Amino acid sequence: YTFKLGEPNSLPRAATPCVIGMREGGCRRILVPPILGWSSDEVQPRPGTFGGQRRLTSHRDEALLLEVRMKKVRPPRSDQALMESFSGPQLKQPF
């Protein structure tokens, strides 16, 4: 599963602060309480099979164990690259 840190619903809310600082090859087990877990259908990752999704739905009100194995970490883009990719309205200097 590929995700971007900080993207809404890319991980359960309990897992997001736990993956900060992980390195490639790292593994963490996160106990996800029900209120910070898969509380809606938009929260990822989701099981790919019907049976897996059904089990997740039936255990939605329980704490679940999530194991994260970090395969690859991409460094954040620099501020300059971020500003160049910004496609919003350009602000003009008043002077």
Side-chain angles (χ1 to χ4, degrees), residues 6-7 9 11 17 20 28-29 36 41-42 44 53 56 60 62-63 71 73-74 78 80 82-83 85-86:
E7 195 171 279
N9 295 322
L11 289 173
I20 294 174
R28 291 192 182 162
R29 289 186 179 157
L36 298 176
D41 291 335
E42 289 85 31
Q44 298 293 324
Q53 289 188 19
L56 181 62
R60 188 178 288 200
E62 302 172 17
K71 290 191 174 188
V73 177
R74 293 185 190 155
S78 69
Q80 181 65 28
L82 186 62
M83 292 305 290
S85 67
F86 179 68

Side-chain angles (χ1 to χ4, degrees), residues 46-80:
R46 313 261 329 152
T49 63
F50 173 76
Q53 289 188 19
R54 189 170 181 184
R55 282 190 297 275
L56 181 62
T57 302
S58 66
H59 296 286
R60 188 178 288 200
D61 296 330
E62 302 172 17
L64 297 174
L65 185 64
L66 175 68
E67 185 173 276
V68 177
R69 293 176 191 251
M70 194 64 67
K71 290 191 174 188
K72 185 174 183 179
V73 177
R74 293 185 190 155
R77 298 190 320 174
S78 69
D79 289 340
Q80 181 65 28

